[in-house]
Amino acid sequence: MIKDLNLEKRVILKENITETELADIYRGSDMLVFPSLFEGFGIPVIEAMATGTPVIVSNRGSLPEIVGNSGIISDPFDIDFMAEKIQNILEDDRETKKYKELSLKRAELFTMENQYNQMMKILNFLDF
């Protein structure tokens, strides 16, 4: 499809990248657009938010719960809305800054330390 659409110069396919390379890719991106129709957990969204990358995600699966109010949530079939939001982030520095800050803050909820602490609260509550 990349070749059919003549996008070889705009799309780079990479395999077996390191965590450091992945973080650098997120940091170098203007945003992550993730219009998934079904998503079990959405790890790429958390990874992007942890690097301060603004996110636009679909309103499906776990994505709205993961993103909360720190990103833009859209019907994945509403192409016009998504295009408008992509353009806003690309053109409006205030919007970009807002979502970068919100992403970093929201990603803190998903650190290993925070997840451990939440699990311990549950286990203590259940008196294990």
Side-chain angles (χ1 to χ4, degrees), residues 3-63:
K3 189 174 185 174
D4 291 344
L5 295 173
N6 197 29
L7 296 172
E8 295 94 343
K9 293 181 181 178
R10 301 187 77 181
V11 176
I12 300 167
L13 299 175
K14 293 196 153 231
E15 294 182 24
N16 303 318
I17 61 174
T18 67
E19 289 182 21
T20 301
E21 290 170 321
L22 181 59
D24 288 342
I25 290 168
Y26 284 127
R27 280 188 206 96
S29 301
D30 292 315
M31 73 195 80
L32 173 71
V33 180
F34 206 73
S36 179
L37 298 178
F38 175 79
E39 197 58 44
F41 188 67
I43 289 174
V45 176
I46 295 170
E47 291 171 337
M49 290 189 310
T51 63
T53 302
V55 296
I56 300 174
V57 301
S58 70
N59 61 359
R60 307 294 167 99
S62 63
L63 297 173

Side-chain angles (χ1 to χ4, degrees), residues 109 112-123:
L109 295 174
M112 291 299 282
E113 180 180 1
N114 193 30
Q115 295 300 308
Y116 170 80
N117 290 335
Q118 294 298 321
M119 182 59 74
M120 291 309 294
K121 285 180 186 177
I122 293 168
L123 294 175

Side-chain angles (χ1 to χ4, degrees), residues 29-98:
S29 301
D30 292 315
M31 73 195 80
L32 173 71
V33 180
F34 206 73
S36 179
L37 298 178
F38 175 79
E39 197 58 44
F41 188 67
I43 289 174
V45 176
I46 295 170
E47 291 171 337
M49 290 189 310
T51 63
T53 302
V55 296
I56 300 174
V57 301
S58 70
N59 61 359
R60 307 294 167 99
S62 63
L63 297 173
E65 184 178 350
I66 290 169
V67 172
N69 67 352
S70 68
I72 298 166
I73 300 170
S74 172
D75 179 333
F77 296 105
D78 191 343
I79 304 302
D80 293 333
F81 179 82
M82 290 186 100
E84 176 187 328
K85 297 305 176 181
I86 290 168
Q87 187 171 0
N88 286 350
I89 289 176
L90 290 173
E91 295 177 353
D92 187 338
D93 291 339
R94 289 176 296 174
E95 282 288 292
T96 302
K97 184 177 188 235
K98 169 185 156 184

